[in-house]
């Protein structure tokens, strides 16, 4: 039962688990208009109200009231081959679940300079479910986590060249997960639930030195979550209150959009993420030596200790669009996303590797101020190896549980949205 000290691990990770979006546990799926160019130019190309998620200054460039609603459908494929310290299936190729990621935005100009917006989008999320008999079932089994931002936004257009914006968002996070914990009693598992509200902000500016060129810069603050929940042993029904403090990282994004002529437009983007904030995972007991934390005498106030040692990362994207007609615009893009996970600290909950994205998309003007955007993206990640160990509550290595193997993960992402201007 000592291995239960890993039971709350996924409550803190909020991991995408190689499904979609940015590396680590971030999501990109906040705009179908930007998805077609692999999110290149998303902070400088004001196509619709969804730009506020990337750069709040963008809504100052929208001349009409509008509503944009849509979402992404992620169809991932994960493949694990390896072995653990206990008997179990050496392959697992169905542990990534199809997920729907919704978003919605409203924007309106107050006057010629001031604009207001309201957005809802998911910056982080996870849905994974390993087979119950897989080799790493004592380190990870099922994870279902969602994070939603609600963001009011204000933007001001100082001149035809310069706009500025700020958004304040409320973040709600909730999660449920499970894992097997006792090799001597294979039916014994722990189920964890937890949630919290937190708050943050983003700020941005767009400079248009030429009528055909837009340059954007934006910053999104860190989010300090203080998750509280229950860890419950099943089928016994024994539970303990637990708490976890985790900081979701800040980002700095640069974006550029340039119109080559009346038909061709090119975009580029670069995003820096401060993943080094995720250096270790420490989950503490609210009870101090309760029925779960008290099982490990090394530290009865700590339920979980896992070193992460993530590194800061850059993601890069380039894309372009072609205006085929007054109604139809075609798009394509490529993105490279660097993983924050160092090889020696990779875990089954976050088997992350460098990612490459290829995307295509289209925008169609239906008339009567209706616009439809659609995009498809294919993600192929670098094959990564895992050599995970178990840790006692005091941070020392406990060799009782190990997992060795290789992950090969891909994903198909479909995005669509409808915009109505009025």
């Amino acid at each position: 039962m000592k291995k239960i000290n890993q039971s709350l691990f996924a409550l803190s990770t909020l991991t995408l688990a190689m499904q979609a979006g940015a590396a680590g546990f971030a999501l990109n799926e906040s705009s179908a208009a930007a998805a077609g160019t692999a999110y290149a130019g998303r902070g400088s190309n004001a196509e619709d109200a969804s730009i506020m998620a990337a750069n709040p200054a963008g809504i100052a460039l929208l001349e009409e009231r509008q509503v944009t609603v849509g979402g992404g459908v992620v169809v991932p494929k994960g493949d694990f081959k390896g072995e653990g310290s206990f008997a179990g299936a050496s392959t697992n190729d169905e542990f990534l679940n199809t997920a729907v990621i919704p978003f919605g935005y409203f924007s309106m100009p107050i006057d010629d300079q001031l604009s207001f917006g309201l957005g809802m989008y998911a910056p982080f999320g996870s849905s994974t479910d390993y087979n119950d008999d897989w080799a790493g079932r004592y380190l990870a089994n099922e994870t279902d986590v969602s994070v939603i931002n609600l963001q009011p936004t204000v933007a001001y257009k100082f001149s035809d060249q310069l706009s500025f914006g700020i958004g304040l968002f409320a973040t709600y996070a909730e999660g449920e997960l499970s894992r097997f914990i006792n090799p001597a009693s294979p039916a014994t598992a722990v189920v964890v639930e937890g949630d919290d509200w937190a708050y943050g902000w983003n700020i941005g500016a767009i400079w248009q030195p030429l009528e055909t060129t837009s340059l954007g810069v934006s910053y999104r603050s860190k989010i300090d979550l203080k998750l509280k929940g229950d860890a419950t042993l099943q089928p016994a029904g024994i539970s303990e209150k637990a708490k976890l403090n985790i900081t979701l990282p800040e980002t700095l994004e640069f974006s550029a959009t340039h119109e080559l002529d009346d038909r061709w437009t090119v975009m580029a983007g670069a995003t820096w993420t401060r993943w080094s904030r995720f250096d270790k995972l420490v989950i503490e007991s609210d009870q101090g030596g309760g029925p779960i934390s008290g099982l490990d005498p090394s530290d009865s106030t700590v339920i979980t200790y896992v070193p992460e040692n993530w590194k800061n990362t850059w993601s890069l994207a380039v894309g372009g669009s072609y205006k085929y007609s007054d109604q139809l615009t075609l798009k394509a893009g490529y993105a490279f996303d660097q993983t924050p996970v160092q090889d020696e600290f990779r875990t089954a909950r976050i088997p992350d590797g460098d990612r490459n994205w290829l995307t295509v998309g289209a925008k169609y003007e239906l008339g009567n101020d209706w616009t439809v955007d659609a995009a498809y993206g294919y993600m192929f990640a670098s094959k990564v190896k895992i050599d995970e160990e178990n840790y006692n509550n005091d941070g020392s290595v406990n060799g009782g549980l190990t997992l060795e193997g290789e992950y090969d993960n891909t994903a198909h992402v479909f995005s669509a949205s409808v915009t109505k201007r009025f």
Side-chain angles (χ1 to χ4, degrees), residues 3-13 177 179 190-194 227 229-232 240-244 281 283-285 292 303-304 306 349:
K3 306 309 181 295
I4 198 170
N5 66 356
Q6 296 283 337
S7 63
L8 292 184
F9 177 81
L11 182 61
S12 71
T13 64
L177 60 107
R179 68 183 282 273
V190 64
V191 177
V192 180
E193 295 178 308
L227 298 169
D230 297 311
T232 304
E240 178 175 357
K241 297 293 183 182
K243 61 183 180 181
L244 163 72
L281 164 68
I283 300 175
E284 298 178 287
S285 170
I292 296 177
I303 294 176
T304 297
V306 179
R349 294 283 185 188

Side-chain angles (χ1 to χ4, degrees), residues 50 117 183 191 204 246 264 273 293 376 393:
S50 66
V191 177
I246 185 171
W264 287 97
T273 305
S293 59
Y376 164 76
N393 291 348

Side-chain angles (χ1 to χ4, degrees), residues 256-334:
T257 301
H258 177 66
E259 298 177 12
L260 296 175
D261 54 34
D262 292 340
R263 293 187 179 275
W264 287 97
T265 302
V266 292
M267 305 92 166
T271 302
W272 175 83
T273 305
R274 193 179 180 182
W275 283 119
S276 59
R277 288 191 177 277
F278 195 31
D279 61 340
K280 62 179 179 295
L281 164 68
V282 179
I283 300 175
E284 298 178 287
S285 170
D286 257 353
Q287 299 175 214
I292 296 177
S293 59
L295 292 173
D296 187 345
S298 64
D299 191 332
S300 62
T301 64
V302 175
I303 294 176
T304 297
Y305 181 96
V306 179
E308 298 292 346
N309 296 314
W310 282 21
K311 60 184 180 182
N312 299 331
T313 62
W314 282 94
S315 63
L316 305 172
V318 293
S321 67
Y322 175 72
K323 191 173 182 179
Y324 180 81
S325 67
D326 289 341
Q327 291 76 38
L328 179 63
T329 300
L330 304 176
K331 304 177 181 181
Y334 165 77

Side-chain angles (χ1 to χ4, degrees), residues 2 13 45 107 122 125 131 157 166 170 188 208 210 239 267 291 336 358-359 413:
K2 177 182 287 188
T13 64
N45 190 22
S107 174
N131 296 333
K157 190 174 184 180
I166 186 169
T188 303
Q208 297 174 288
L210 302 172
S239 64
M267 305 92 166
F336 172 77
L358 295 174
T359 67
V413 181

Side-chain angles (χ1 to χ4, degrees), residues 208-220:
Q208 297 174 288
L210 302 172
E211 186 177 349
T212 57
T213 303
S214 297
L215 304 175
V217 60
S218 58
Y219 175 86
R220 185 176 67 191

